[in-house]
Amino acid sequence: MAQIFSARADTRLRLAVIIGLAIAVLAGAAGFAHVRSGAAWAIGRPAPQPIPFSHAVHAGGLELDCRFCHSGVERRADAGMPSAGTCLGCHDRVWNVTAQFVPLRAALARGTAVEWASVSRLPDHVRFDHAAHTVAGVGCESCHGKVEEMPRTVRAETLSMGFCLDCHRDPGSRQVTAASAMRPHGLQARRHLHYGVEVSPLTRCSTCHR
Ligand code: HEC
Ligand code: HEC
Ligand code: HEC
Ligand code: HEC
Ligand code: HEC
């Protein structure tokens, strides 16, 4: 029977298959690296805000306590956002005439809050609770980074499921950073022992998913 492919065509075909496989592997590795990197989670990218607010100025320079503007952190699931009135306490006279404060005056006139964009928002199927963490002594910095040094607020951690579970599996062993402005005491997670075996409710799906 006559050869269908010449020896040279055979070599070329093999080469094409090998190159094809190599490209597939590289593309897969690049995709994996992208997902593992911060880029896929928008780490370090500020959101467009109605007013160019700076934590570096207010929480850093002026040393305002986080709770001054986010009063829910110790009591509620939501950290809460400052009302327009909170800003006006200082910016009532001189500064509110500048263009930067137009959205603030508009919110005040409407009797609503300024519509800030979020850099931390989780999908709707995830439940989060600030009070549970703050009371346990987990500082803001563990999840939000050094906010008091940020001229524009950015996401510092992925806030992915893996990030949450990394700590929930064993919160006691983690180097937990206390918020410089809040200075909570050391981390003390509740431990549940059942016949001497530790069962952690912190890794149960229903803890974070409704
Ligand atoms: C003077 C008021 C004020 C103080 C004090 C303040 N913040 Fe904020 N914070 C804001 C405002 C306004 C925003 C929305 C604009 C922005 O994201 O920059 C915000 C946004 C945030 C966000 C992003 C929320 C989201 O939805 O993604 C985090 C995280 C945050 N603040 C943490 C802190 C921490 C930690 C401290 C203390 C170190 C602090 N803030 C102190 C006013 C304040
Ligand atoms: C405790 C007083 C105080 C409060 C409360 C406060 N600020 Fe300020 N803010 C200041 C001071 C002081 C400066 C000027 C800092 C500087 O120039 O170094 C400033 C600067 C600013 C600037 C920058 C102005 C510029 O020219 O760059 C913006 C924007 C601003 N604040 C917005 C806000 C908003 C929005 C809120 C409410 C969430 C707020 N501030 C609450 C005291 C305050
Ligand atoms: C264990 C991680 C974690 C810690 C610790 C933490 N946060 Fe958050 N924070 C989040 C997550 C996740 C969101 C987004 C919540 C959502 O979308 O439901 C968020 C949202 C916010 C928001 C947006 C508005 C809102 O009402 O929730 C602010 C402001 C905020 N955090 C401030 C703080 C401050 C201040 C502290 C420290 C006292 C703090 N956070 C500690 C994870 C954390
Ligand atoms: C640095 C450690 C750490 C990180 C990161 C962390 N947590 Fe937690 N979480 C804790 C501790 C500690 C508690 C409190 C445990 C206790 O009270 O015994 C807690 C409690 C909770 C609770 C309340 C459980 C209850 O009692 O109902 C929820 C919900 C939760 N975490 C969700 C999350 C989510 C979602 C993330 C990721 C966005 C996250 N956590 C990231 C340490 C962490
Ligand atoms: C400590 C909190 C926590 C626990 C416990 C947890 N999850 Fe999640 N999960 C998250 C967060 C946060 C996200 C959202 C990540 C993002 O922003 O996409 C998520 C997302 C998901 C998603 C959506 C797909 C994805 O990757 O975004 C699925 C499915 C899921 N979780 C299933 C589970 C199951 C099943 C369990 C129990 C074995 C579980 N989770 C336990 C925090 C948690």
Side-chain angles (χ1 to χ4, degrees), residues 44-123:
R45 244 182 281 152
Q49 299 289 4
I51 303 171
F53 177 81
S54 161
H55 279 97
V57 167
H58 296 85
L62 297 173
E63 292 184 14
L64 292 177
D65 191 294
C66 310
R67 289 166 294 188
F68 183 79
C69 292
H70 307 297
S71 58
V73 283
E74 289 171 307
R75 292 174 283 114
R76 295 196 310 270
D78 276 1
M81 290 303 242
S83 68
T86 307
C87 314
L88 278 189
C90 293
H91 292 286
D92 55 349
R93 286 164 214 286
V94 190
W95 285 320
N96 73 355
V97 293
T98 69
Q100 282 178 327
F101 291 101
V102 168
L104 193 70
R105 275 179 289 150
L108 213 65
R110 270 180 298 163
T112 56
V114 176
E115 285 175 17
W116 303 105
S118 178
V119 295
S120 328
R121 190 63 57 228
L122 294 176

Side-chain angles (χ1 to χ4, degrees), residues 187-209:
L187 177 67
Q188 278 162 4
R190 266 183 278 130
R191 302 245 162 203
H192 298 253
L193 291 175
H194 187 69
Y195 295 108
V197 178
E198 196 170 334
V199 283
S200 174
L202 285 183
T203 48
R204 229 180 268 147
C205 312
S206 60
T207 297
C208 303
H209 295 290

Side-chain angles (χ1 to χ4, degrees), residues 66 70 73 78-81 120-122 128 130 133-134 138-140 143-144 159 182:
C66 310
H70 307 297
V73 283
D78 276 1
M81 290 303 242
S120 328
R121 190 63 57 228
L122 294 176
F128 183 75
H130 276 94
H133 292 89
T134 310
V138 182
C140 320
C143 302
H144 294 301
L159 301 180
M182 299 243 332

